[in-house]
């Protein structure tokens, strides 16, 4: 079969296209802090697998322009989506405690905000893999649907890999 287009390029989560799919995801809540003084933070990411509830501390100034000329960092928390619940008050409390006790940064030296992202990474459980294989079988009935990217492949891939996929696809169209 075909759809009424030369190509349909999908980057949406596959269960948006096929709602009967039973795919599970992780969601991520980030607590951002704009620090009012210089901090020493030489890495882009520091991963905390077990010590805290957050899984990653990110330093945006190591790879992008600073915001208002000040250091910008974030703490990332993951939870199951859609079943899980974010715990924003505890996230804020924990991160402010880390800033104060571990980094010596007082509340008067920062402002913070919260951002939530749904479907940030797939959960590779057997029932999800089976549902994913069913979707791939349905997609194989179409000759002109191309599904790429993090959500379009139901796979945890980097932004660099997503960009590369897009560039390869564009070159194939030429």
């Amino acid at each position: 079969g075909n759809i009424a287009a030369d190509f349909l390029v999908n980057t949406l989560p596959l269960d948006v296209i096929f709602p009967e799919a039973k795919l599970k995801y992780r969601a991520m809540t980030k607590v951002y802090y704009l620090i009012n003084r210089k901090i020493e933070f030489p890495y882009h990411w520091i991963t905390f697998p077990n010590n805290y509830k957050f899984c990653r501390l990110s330093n945006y100034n190591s790879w992008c322009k600073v915001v208002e000329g000040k250091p910008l960092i974030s703490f990332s928390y993951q939870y199951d989506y859609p079943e899980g619940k974010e715990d924003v008050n505890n996230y804020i409390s924990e991160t402010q405690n880390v800033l104060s006790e571990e980094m010596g940064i007082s509340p008067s030296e920062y402002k913070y905000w919260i951002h939530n992202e749904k479907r940030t990474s797939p959960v590779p459980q057997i029932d999800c893999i089976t549902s994913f294989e069913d979707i791939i079988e349905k997609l194989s009935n179409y000759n002109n649907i191309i599904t790429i990217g993090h959500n379009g492949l139901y796979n945890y891939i980097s932004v660099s890999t997503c960009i590369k996929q897009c560039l390869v696809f564009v070159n194939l169209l030429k």
Side-chain angles (χ1 to χ4, degrees):
N2 282 319
I3 54 168
D6 292 337
F7 288 98
L8 171 69
V9 179
N10 172 58
T11 60
L12 293 170
L14 293 171
D15 55 348
V16 169
I17 298 172
F18 298 100
E20 69 277 8
K22 302 295 182 217
L23 300 178
K24 295 179 183 174
Y25 298 87
R26 298 251 189 277
M28 185 176 292
T29 297
K30 292 182 181 179
V31 184
Y32 288 91
Y33 287 90
L34 189 60
I35 312 294
N36 290 326
R37 68 173 165 93
K38 185 178 179 182
I39 57 173
E40 294 299 322
F41 198 108
Y43 306 104
H44 169 59
W45 280 346
I46 299 177
T47 303
F48 296 86
N50 297 311
N51 300 344
Y52 301 96
K53 290 179 185 170
F54 58 87
C55 60
R56 183 184 304 150
L57 174 57
S58 300
N59 173 20
Y60 295 92
N61 299 346
S62 69
W63 60 277
C64 67
K65 290 185 177 182
V66 294
V67 178
E68 299 176 16
K70 300 172 185 172
L72 176 64
I73 62 173
S74 74
F75 296 83
S76 301
Y77 291 85
Q78 287 190 321
Y79 59 94
D80 291 340
Y81 176 80
E83 300 87 15
K85 301 263 189 254
E86 61 181 336
D87 192 0
V88 174
N89 290 333
N90 281 332
Y91 300 165
I92 293 168
S93 176
E94 181 181 47
T95 57
Q96 290 179 346
N97 189 40
V98 168
L99 287 174
S100 175
E101 293 183 15
E102 306 283 335
M103 300 174 81
I105 301 171
S106 69
S108 65
E109 296 179 292
Y110 60 75
K111 61 181 176 181
Y112 73 91
W113 63 95
I114 308 294
H115 177 73
N116 185 274
E117 301 170 17
K118 309 292 188 214
R119 293 184 170 109
T120 57
S121 58
V123 177
Q125 295 175 339
I126 293 296
D127 57 333
C128 295
I129 301 300
T130 302
S131 189
F132 175 73
E133 288 171 352
D134 292 343
I135 290 172
I136 296 303
E137 187 174 324
K138 289 177 185 176
L139 282 172
S140 70
N141 293 322
Y142 296 91
N143 298 321
N144 60 346
I145 295 180
I146 298 167
T147 185
I148 60 175
H150 185 75
N151 285 319
L153 294 174
Y154 191 66
N155 197 346
Y156 187 81
I157 58 177
S158 69
V159 172
S160 298
T161 301
C162 289
I163 292 169
K164 183 178 178 182
Q165 288 176 349
C166 291
L167 292 172
V168 166
F169 174 70
V170 167
N171 284 329
L172 289 173
L173 291 177
K174 293 180 179 178

